[in-house]
């Protein structure tokens, strides 16, 4: 009589509770259950799919890969027509997602604008880049988008709507809409004095800087 076949642990089992063939994957002498594998990878697949949908819908904030440095912006005052604000994400060159609050203004004027960024270099230390404009004639911007992580100042809004679905915004620039079901707010007008914000990116259709001055210096020199 021929010897009975010797089934290894990785082979199919005939016991009543065994999973049918094809439900398991043999790897490095161990056993990986397909169902468990699917459950473990589902969150990552969902995030990737969500990012793809966001890209397709234009829901990502900046239209470019942001740098690894935030910058600071301050202004004595800002007056804007057509204001919208909603949550979104920026993406850096490593494809990492960065949560931001997008402030979008159709037409904006900024008085006494300051922008600064500090870079730390080996041996040299801190290097500051400072830009100023609008001390006499205000800086003018159209279709302005600022992807910020912090904003402070004294603000006044005209005909504000708080809690509106981000996908239905219609008072700011035409492209100023977020993803469906997300929180957002908008107003006909906005006025902010003593503006201070920290941001990852700024986009504008036009950006007119009167009295522009830029300088680089050693040490940490920021707008605030």
């Amino acid at each position: 009589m021929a010897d009975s076949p010797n089934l290894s642990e990785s082979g199919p089992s005939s016991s009543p509770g065994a999973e049918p063939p094809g439900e398991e994957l043999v790897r490095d002498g161990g056993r990986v259950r397909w169902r468990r594998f699917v459950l473990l990878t589902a969150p990552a697949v969902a995030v990737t799919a969500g990012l793809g949908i966001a890209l397709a819908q234009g829901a990502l904030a900046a239209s470019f890969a942001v740098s690894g440095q935030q910058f600071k912006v301050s202004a004595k005052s800002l007056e804007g027509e057509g204001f919208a604000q909603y949550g979104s994400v920026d993406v850096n060159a490593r494809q990492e997602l960065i949560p931001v609050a997008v402030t979008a203004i159709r037409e904006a004027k900024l008085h006494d604008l300051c922008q600064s960024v500090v870079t730390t270099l080996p041996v040299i230390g801190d290097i500051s880049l400072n830009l100023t404009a609008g001390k006499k004639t205000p800086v003018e911007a159209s279709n302005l988008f600022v992807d910020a992580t912090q904003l402070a100042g004294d603000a006044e809004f005209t005909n504000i709507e708080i809690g509106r679905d981000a996908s239905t915004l219609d008072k700011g620039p035409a492209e100023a809409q977020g993803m469906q079901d997300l929180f957002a707010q908008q107003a006909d007008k906005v006025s902010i004095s003593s503006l201070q914000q920290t941001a990852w990116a700024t986009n504008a259709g036009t950006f007119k800087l009167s009295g522009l001055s830029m300088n680089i210096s050693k040490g940490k020199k920021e707008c605030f």
Side-chain angles (χ1 to χ4, degrees):
M1 181 181 294
D3 292 336
S4 301
N6 182 21
L7 298 177
S8 66
E9 289 186 359
S10 60
S13 174
S14 60
S15 59
E19 297 183 13
E23 290 291 333
E24 296 174 351
L25 170 68
V26 179
R27 191 183 181 104
D28 298 331
R31 187 182 293 179
V32 178
R33 297 185 183 277
W34 280 113
R35 291 174 182 171
R36 183 178 300 173
F37 174 78
V38 171
L39 289 175
L40 290 174
T41 56
V45 173
V47 169
T48 303
L51 177 57
I53 293 172
L55 283 167
Q57 295 179 343
L60 293 182
S63 58
F64 51 84
V66 300
S67 74
Q69 295 178 278
Q70 295 192 75
F71 56 91
K72 292 185 176 182
V73 177
S74 67
K76 185 177 180 180
S77 65
L78 177 152
E79 289 88 37
E81 300 272 350
F83 166 87
Q85 191 173 62
Y86 53 95
S88 189
V89 290
D90 282 343
V91 182
N92 62 20
R94 296 182 179 85
Q95 297 301 303
E96 297 169 332
L97 304 183
I98 302 169
V100 294
V102 178
T103 298
I105 303 175
R106 194 171 61 251
E107 298 290 341
K109 292 184 178 182
L110 301 98
H111 297 263
D112 200 3
L113 173 70
C114 172
Q115 178 178 301
S116 66
V117 61
V118 178
T119 302
T120 302
L121 300 175
V123 181
I124 298 177
D126 291 336
I127 299 294
S128 296
L129 185 151
N130 288 79
L131 179 152
T132 60
K135 290 186 179 295
K136 295 181 178 180
T137 303
V139 171
E140 297 180 3
S142 64
N143 295 329
L144 175 67
F145 289 79
V146 180
D147 306 345
T149 56
Q150 175 270 334
L151 186 149
D154 299 318
E156 180 179 343
F157 301 94
T158 302
N159 295 328
I160 190 168
E161 299 173 355
I162 301 174
R164 183 163 177 145
D165 188 297
S167 68
T168 68
L169 295 171
D170 58 7
K171 291 188 176 183
E175 300 83 4
Q177 290 186 338
M179 297 187 70
Q180 186 175 345
D181 296 328
L182 292 188
F183 173 92
Q185 56 186 3
Q186 64 176 4
D188 290 340
K189 297 181 180 180
V190 60
S191 177
I192 305 176
S193 59
S194 303
L195 170 68
Q196 294 182 346
Q197 61 183 1
T198 305
W200 285 103
T202 296
N203 291 344
T206 60
F207 207 36
K208 183 178 179 181
L209 297 100
S210 301
L212 172 64
S213 175
M214 186 185 73
N215 66 79
I216 297 177
S217 57
K218 290 189 65 175
K220 184 174 290 187
K221 184 180 179 182
E222 298 181 284
C223 297
F224 60 91

